[in-house]
Amino acid sequence: MIASPTPQPSGARPLPSWERLAAAVIDFVVLLIPQVILAILIAGPQYARLFTFVAAHEKDNNLSTNPTFVRLLHQLSAVSVHLTIVVEALTAAYLIGMYLSTGATLGKLALGLRITRVDGRPMTVRDAVLRSVVFWVPLLIPIFGIFLQLVEYVGGTMVLIVRPDHRAPEDLLGGTIVVRK
């Protein structure tokens, strides 16, 4: 059963969940574009070298023991780690910068929404950092990060839908609420 919205101490009335989810989709696309460009620029050449090598040696039965293949694979792994750090730094900068400068992300601005503290005051740097952590920290954890982020997105969406105030985990952590401008 989906709970009904209740006003906050600041007088703000929570939004329907679908508006928050639509804003999240817009933000996902906004962040995806530079991430794809960075992936092409940073990891693209290394992927090309690896795939060229594999194509040239496709008949080798012991490709996994080939020293050149192993070296190329290790280089690709190192580039992938660097790419992850750059992408997560970009995500953190986007979220924190948007929260502090406009009180909303581009997705929320497009839908006429804003983020405020539960008490109605603008977010502090601490609030913005805490609110953004759930979106970029999980991917910095090797192997388990993707699983953690998936759990956060699915679980966070469920929390958003069932809570009467429609506050997601990022709101609970940052002490914020999303309202209509």
Side-chain angles (χ1 to χ4, degrees):
M1 173 185 237
I2 297 176
S4 60
T6 56
Q8 295 300 301
S10 64
R13 189 146 181 89
L15 301 170
S17 303
W18 71 266
E19 289 184 75
R20 298 262 327 252
L21 297 174
V25 169
I26 293 169
D27 288 325
F28 177 79
V29 171
V30 164
L31 282 166
L32 185 64
I33 293 168
Q35 289 173 0
V36 168
I37 292 168
L38 283 171
I40 291 168
L41 294 175
I42 294 173
Q46 192 60 41
Y47 275 113
R49 283 191 286 279
L50 180 66
F51 289 131
T52 300
F53 181 83
V54 169
H57 297 86
E58 65 183 295
K59 295 185 188 209
D60 289 355
N61 290 334
N62 297 323
L63 190 59
S64 64
T65 59
N66 182 305
T68 303
F69 175 77
V70 171
R71 181 180 48 81
L72 288 171
L73 203 55
H74 284 185
Q75 288 172 349
L76 180 59
S77 295
V79 166
S80 296
V81 168
H82 293 121
L83 177 62
T84 299
I85 292 168
V86 169
V87 163
E88 295 313 305
L90 174 71
T91 300
Y94 166 74
L95 292 173
I96 295 167
M98 291 299 295
Y99 294 162
L100 294 174
S101 65
T102 64
T105 58
L106 292 176
K108 287 175 182 57
L109 288 172
L111 295 176
L113 311 177
R114 70 180 173 86
I115 307 163
T116 185
R117 288 174 37 142
V118 175
D119 62 12
R121 295 182 308 179
M123 276 187 282
T124 64
V125 172
R126 179 185 175 278
D127 300 330
V129 170
L130 285 174
R131 190 176 200 285
S132 71
V133 160
V134 296
F135 297 109
W136 54 272
V137 166
L139 288 181
L140 294 177
I141 302 167
I143 300 173
F144 297 108
I146 292 173
F147 173 73
L148 288 173
Q149 193 157 48
L150 178 64
V151 167
E152 193 280 327
Y153 280 116
V154 172
T157 300
M158 295 309 298
V159 168
L160 172 73
I161 290 170
V162 300
R163 280 186 59 95
D165 59 4
H166 298 294
R167 292 176 66 211
E170 61 271 19
D171 294 309
L172 299 172
L173 195 58
T176 60
I177 187 168
V178 177
V179 296
R180 196 170 272 88
K181 268 186 163 179

